[in-house]
Amino acid sequence: MAAPKSKGDNFLVVVPLDDAFDGSPDEIKLAPTVPVPKAASILSADGGDEGPVPEDQQFAANRMLLSHFLTRMGDKMWEFIIPLILITIAPDTLVPAALFGLVTTLVRVLFGTSIGHQIDFRSRIGVIRFGIGFQAISIGCSSIILQFLLNERSPELAENIFFSLKSTGLLIALLASAAVGSLAAQGMDISVERDWVPCAITHQGYLTQMNTRMRQIDLVTEVAGPLLAGFLILIPATDEQTSFIIVAIFNFVTFLPQYFLLTSVYDVNEHLRAPKEQPASNADAVPRSAVAEWWYGEWNPIMNLYNSWDLFMAQPINYLSISFALLWLTILSPHDVVFTAYLKSQGYTDWELGVFRGVGALFGVASTLAFPWFVEKYGLQWASFIYIFEEAAMVVGASVIFTLNYKAETQILRFAFLGFILLSRCGLYGFEVGEIQMLQIGIPENVRGRVNSVESSLTSLASLAVFVAGLAFNNPKQFIYLCWG
């Protein structure tokens, strides 16, 4: 179906909700959208064979990218500063930091599908309000709790965070607050990246660019966020506590522009404002008792988990999500905490580890820059396959080199091992862009929240598996098992 040529009209792709969309042009309908203000686009407005990109989609892209940047910068600064504060409170134990990471990941596994349920059945702007509001509450509560813990510092607390009833209660309150913030952030990520973006941007070439830019923002802030937070500590007359307060204030202040940026997109996009169609209830279903109705209610995370998994397995492209989640099982990543600790034990300096992490992000950015060209030349599916094959080849190659170096250590093999890991980042991040776009296109919009929440839970579960494996094989001499695992 050719795109309309009228200069005065904007159009929106509406995907039918009764069946899974397979990408066929015959299944696409056009509906007019409301006019939006003109704005210079961050992305290229040259649509190639699909024609120019409508101005409403450029408007949406600009604001969603800026909102995504503020979100990611705040998240990465917060993730960096929290372990430092916990170490300041209890410098002789890693238990608080380990519990913090464990809880914030575990809640996503257990309750992520309940968040996905809310995304599918609530208004889109309501989900955003929920996500931003509870993140703000979490940041505020966590900041206050950490200040109380800092005031409780003592030689006994330095060795044991559970030294007193008060410190134990404060830590439990901190973990509860962090869990709420983690779930709210998960809801925001799924809602904006997996639902808002494909609804607001229906020009496929422009959608590829949008997904690419979002991944580039992720990679840049992965380095820039910790770097900026670390720089604050180096400023004269500041310490970890002062830097923590600045980071907390930055997070809190940026929630407001994030909300207004997304609201401006919502207000001018008819598709985002339209309620999602849901299947009609079965009139022939056997009536349930009051207790059964209560048990099957949306409050129940067990039922949400079961129903979302059932829905996920019914999707023709669920294998994409499973393959993506499996990528999180490897420990060979410049950003992996256990791998970083191993490299530190092998004599690498903090400066070298920082450079290694930064270069890994640069390799990822380079791969995402090339991804639109691969899509144009080979198509979305083949481009994604090329990237994932490259990632697999580099990880296997790194494991082989590590094994050879394990038997006869040489400097050349050590650097080759790290080089292969850096090259694997190209395939990983390129495949991620392709995988996201295929899910955006291939999953009906009325189930996007639940299906994508299952993928998010799977990746969190894979992260937990790596963490557990690191605890089981905690001797650096056993790293070869983690490498091949």
Side-chain angles (χ1 to χ4, degrees):
M1 180 183 294
K5 300 298 183 182
S6 170
K7 292 183 178 180
D9 296 325
N10 295 321
F11 291 84
L12 174 70
V13 172
V14 180
V15 178
L17 301 179
D18 51 343
D19 297 307
F21 175 54
D22 64 2
S24 170
D26 295 334
E27 295 191 33
I28 299 176
K29 300 177 183 179
L30 295 177
T33 63
V34 296
V36 297
K38 292 184 177 180
S41 177
I42 297 174
L43 309 179
S44 171
D46 179 10
D49 294 338
E50 297 179 77
V53 179
E55 290 177 359
D56 63 325
Q57 298 187 31
Q58 299 178 45
F59 177 88
N62 289 346
R63 279 147 185 78
M64 285 193 290
L65 284 173
L66 182 54
S67 174
H68 187 68
F69 172 78
L70 292 173
T71 299
R72 283 292 180 265
M73 182 60 77
D75 287 348
K76 297 307 176 184
M77 292 174 69
W78 184 254
E79 289 172 7
F80 178 81
I81 204 71
I82 284 294
L84 298 183
I85 293 298
L86 292 174
I87 286 294
T88 301
I89 295 168
D92 297 332
T93 176
L94 296 176
V95 169
L99 284 176
F100 190 91
L102 180 65
V103 168
T104 54
T105 304
L106 185 60
V107 292
R108 293 190 173 209
V109 176
L110 299 178
F111 301 103
T113 51
S114 295
I115 298 298
H117 180 90
Q118 296 301 315
I119 292 171
D120 285 338
F121 287 90
R122 305 296 177 187
S123 70
R124 288 184 170 96
I125 196 64
V127 172
I128 296 302
R129 288 169 182 157
F130 168 88
I132 291 179
F134 276 92
Q135 278 184 284
I137 292 172
S138 174
I139 293 289
C141 291
S142 297
S143 300
I144 294 172
I145 294 167
L146 284 167
Q147 286 299 321
F148 277 115
L149 279 171
L150 285 166
N151 293 334
E152 290 291 313
R153 280 181 291 179
S154 66
E156 295 80 8
L157 191 66
E159 297 180 356
N160 181 13
I161 192 68
F162 303 106
F163 166 72
S164 67
L165 185 62
K166 185 176 182 180
S167 66
T168 301
L170 287 171
L171 179 63
I172 293 173
L174 174 66
L175 296 178
S177 175
V180 170
S182 179
L183 288 174
Q186 182 183 28
M188 283 284 292
D189 289 344
I190 295 173
S191 182
V192 174
E193 295 184 31
R194 306 301 179 98
D195 187 31
W196 281 55
V197 169
C199 281
I201 301 175
T202 55
H203 187 291
Q204 291 304 300
Y206 202 59
L207 180 61
T208 300
Q209 290 188 56
M210 179 67 176
N211 289 324
T212 298
R213 293 294 182 270
M214 294 187 89
R215 299 291 74 72
Q216 290 167 357
I217 288 173
D218 292 344
L219 290 164
V220 169
T221 54
E222 184 78 36
V223 177
L227 185 65
L228 182 57
F231 175 76
L232 293 174
I233 301 175
L234 299 177
I235 297 176
T238 63
D239 54 15
E240 286 89 349
Q241 186 171 357
T242 305
S243 302
F244 161 70
I245 294 172
I246 295 172
V247 170
I249 292 173
F250 174 84
N251 270 272
F252 211 83
V253 169
T254 56
F255 285 133
L256 197 60
Q258 288 175 46
Y259 174 72
F260 283 120
L261 286 166
L262 293 175
T263 300
S264 68
V265 175
Y266 180 83
D267 288 341
V268 299
N269 193 291
E270 196 173 77
H271 195 181
L272 287 174
R273 297 198 307 274
K276 298 179 182 180
E277 298 181 15
Q278 296 296 339
S281 58
N282 186 1
D284 298 328
V286 178
R288 294 172 179 162
S289 66
V291 174
E293 285 293 342
W294 174 81
W295 174 256
Y296 285 98
E298 65 180 46
W299 70 271
N300 190 335
I302 298 175
M303 292 310 302
N304 284 328
L305 189 62
Y306 173 81
N307 292 330
S308 296
W309 267 93
D310 190 48
L311 187 62
F312 173 80
M313 295 308 297
Q315 302 303 311
I317 58 173
N318 57 46
Y319 65 90
L320 275 173
S321 293
I322 295 173
S323 62
F324 179 69
L326 289 174
L327 297 179
W328 290 67
L329 282 173
T330 181
I331 203 170
L332 300 180
S333 166
H335 306 113
D336 187 88
V337 176
V338 178
F339 183 50
T340 301
Y342 169 76
L343 293 178
K344 178 75 173 176
S345 72
Q346 299 304 299
Y348 291 94
T349 65
D350 293 341
W351 178 84
E352 289 171 331
L353 294 175
V355 170
F356 179 60
R357 182 169 182 162
V359 173
L362 290 177
F363 271 71
V365 170
S367 76
T368 57
L369 286 172
F371 187 77
W373 179 87
F374 277 93
V375 172
E376 185 178 351
K377 188 171 181 64
Y378 300 107
L380 181 61
Q381 291 186 7
W382 273 107
S384 301
F385 176 79
I386 291 170
Y387 271 86
I388 192 60
F389 181 82
E390 188 273 347
E391 202 265 350
M394 293 302 105
V395 169
V396 171
S399 300
V400 170
I401 291 173
F402 181 84
T403 304
L404 295 174
N405 190 57
Y406 185 77
K407 296 179 178 180
E409 185 171 338
T410 67
Q411 196 70 12
I412 294 177
L413 288 178
R414 286 183 56 166
F415 282 109
F417 171 62
L418 298 181
F420 269 72
I421 292 175
L422 292 175
L423 288 172
S424 73
R425 301 299 88 190
C426 296
L428 173 64
Y429 292 113
F431 175 75
E432 183 181 10
V433 175
E435 186 260 355
I436 287 174
Q437 186 161 340
M438 283 187 276
L439 293 185
Q440 288 170 337
I441 297 170
I443 298 175
E445 68 174 85
N446 62 331
V447 298
R448 282 176 184 156
R450 284 165 289 176
V451 173
N452 282 293
S453 69
V454 171
E455 181 189 281
S456 179
S457 296
L458 281 173
T459 56
S460 297
L461 187 61
S463 298
L464 281 178
V466 171
F467 180 75
V468 170
L471 291 176
F473 300 97
N474 53 64
N475 191 318
K477 294 180 180 179
Q478 298 174 314
F479 187 79
I480 189 170
Y481 301 118
L482 297 175
C483 184
W484 282 103

